[in-house]
């Protein structure tokens, strides 16, 4: 809710929840959950803070959570502890009688906001002035608004996540010669590079410039158009951080999320989604050392859950996803107790105009995944 100055204020009634002690919040969340029982499904992304994560019925990365949401048919309410694009995805993949709730509507994703439908449609028109539309597939990272997923669905494209980007890009190249990949340049570049596509066949598309800042010749030649978007959290990891750990702890394994820059990804031993990172470190032998390049809440949990290993955060800076962090215990409790009282707060409803094609784009991905 905004005040007269346009500043964010707490939603009505929420202030009281901030006066509760952590124990009190825990008790009341547990009680509300047990009263809502089978009417409720609580999903938690791997970046969620512990005070919320520990209450999730099911946790995971974007792919796992979207697959899980798609299978649920019996829960009246899906409370999504994550960010807006994840709740939108759950809403698209579930029938209208299931209500999806995001405990704080300000939990967005700064990377997702770097591409909007007007800019992507402009880019599409500019690119297809030089090459036929039938030769290019649009692919959107799941970290994007529903109308961009709809755009991809309608244009014969699809969605990808950090887990399946390679499979999705391969599928696209089996059908058409070129791809437009948005909004994360790093996931696009890291994946295409690992598939053997040379850097000189990829161009960066800056939506602020005519033709994305590219010459007509560069557009005709390119196989991959990479949107100039990035994750403000993962851009904090630098190649010199990898160097420092390797010098200090010879033999250490470096594992990073593919939203990190190519310079960091190229120096790492392993690269993958949040779920892949958790699985890999958890399965590693006792005594092994790991430097992990992804969000801080996840890395702190990994440290705590793996006391037989040494787990380090790859950056000396605090790299936390401030929007994921917005979902806290007071917001969670508030949304659950409002549900119990019969009032649905912060429901995420994707407009019908976007839902149909966005679902096509997501289902194309889920079939391949
Ligand atoms: P995952 O799909 O790996 O969970 O990543 C989502 C995300 O937003 C990472 O920043
Ligand atoms: Fe978005 Fe980055 Fe936060 Fe992931 S970590 S939700 S990409 S801002």
């Amino acid at each position: 809710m905004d005040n007269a100055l346009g500043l964010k204020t707490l939603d009505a009634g929420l202030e009281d929840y901030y006066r509760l002690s952590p124990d009190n919040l825990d008790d009341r969340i547990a009680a509300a959950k047990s009263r809502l029982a089978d009417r409720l499904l609580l999903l938690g992304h791997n970046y969620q803070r512990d005070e919320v994560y520990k209450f999730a019925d099911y946790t995971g990365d974007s792919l796992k959570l979207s697959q899980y949401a798609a299978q649920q048919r019996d829960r009246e309410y899906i409370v999504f502890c994550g960010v807006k694009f994840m709740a939108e995805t759950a809403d698209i993949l579930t029938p209208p009688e299931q209500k999806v709730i995001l405990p704080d509507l300000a939990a967005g994703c700064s990377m997702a906001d770097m591409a909007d439908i007007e800019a992507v449609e402009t880019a599409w028109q500019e690119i297809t002035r030089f090459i036929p539309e039938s030769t290019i597939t649009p692919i959107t990272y799941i970290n994007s608004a529903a109308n961009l997923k709809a755009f991809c669905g309608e244009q014969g494209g699809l969605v990808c996540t950090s887990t399946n980007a390679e499979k999705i890009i391969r599928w696209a190249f089996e059908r058409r010669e070129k791809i437009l990949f948005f909004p994360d340049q790093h996931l696009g570049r890291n994946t295409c590079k690992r598939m053997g596509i040379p850097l000189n066949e990829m161009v960066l598309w800056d939506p602020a410039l005519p033709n994305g800042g590219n010459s007509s010749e560069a557009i005709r030649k390119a196989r991959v158009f990479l949107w100039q978007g990035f994750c403000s959290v993962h851009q904090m990891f630098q190649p010199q951080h990898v160097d420092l750990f390797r010098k200090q702890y010879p033999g250490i394994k470096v594992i990073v999320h593919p939203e990190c820059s190519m310079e960091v990804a190229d120096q790492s031993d392993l690269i993958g989604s949040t779920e892949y990172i958790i699985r890999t470190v958890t399965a590693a032998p006792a005594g092994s050392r790991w430097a992990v390049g992804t969000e801080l809440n996840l890395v702190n949990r990994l440290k705590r859950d793996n006391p037989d290993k040494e787990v380090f955060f790859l950056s000396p800076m605090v790299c936390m996803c401030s929007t994921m962090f917005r979902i806290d215990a007071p917001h969670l409790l508030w949304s659950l107790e409002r549900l119990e009282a019969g009032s649905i707060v912060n429901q995420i409803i994707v407009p019908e105009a976007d839902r149909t094609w966005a679902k096509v784009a997501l289902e194309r991905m889920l079939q391949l995944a």
Side-chain angles (χ1 to χ4, degrees), residues 47 83 85 108-111 143 231-234 259 321 323-324:
Y47 289 161
V83 287
F85 72 81
C109 164
S110 54
M111 176 211 280
N143 298 37
C231 166
S232 46
V233 179
H234 289 88
E259 288 173 14
C321 179
T323 47
M324 285 272 183

Side-chain angles (χ1 to χ4, degrees), residues 45-47 60-63 85-86 109 141-143 161-163 231 234 257 259 272-275 294 324:
H45 185 263
N46 291 326
Y47 289 161
D61 62 9
S62 319
L63 178 65
F85 72 81
M86 298 178 180
C109 164
Y141 189 21
I142 197 164
N143 298 37
T161 72
S162 55
T163 303
C231 166
H234 289 88
H257 195 278
E259 288 173 14
S273 76
T274 57
E275 198 63 18
T294 195
M324 285 272 183

Side-chain angles (χ1 to χ4, degrees), residues 68-78 87-100 347-350 352 355 359 363:
Y68 197 69
Q71 290 157 9
Q72 301 312 306
R73 288 290 176 267
D74 58 340
R75 308 293 177 112
E76 207 175 322
Y77 307 121
I78 299 178
E88 282 185 344
T89 301
D91 182 53
I92 294 164
L93 294 173
T94 50
E97 57 277 13
Q98 286 184 286
K99 317 285 182 223
V100 178
Q347 187 181 350
I348 298 295
I349 306 175
V350 172
E352 211 43 55
R355 173 182 290 276
K359 195 164 181 206
E363 283 178 344

Side-chain angles (χ1 to χ4, degrees), residues 133-147:
E133 210 172 275
S134 58
T135 61
I136 179 161
T137 302
I139 301 176
T140 185
Y141 189 21
I142 197 164
N143 298 37
S144 56
N147 54 10

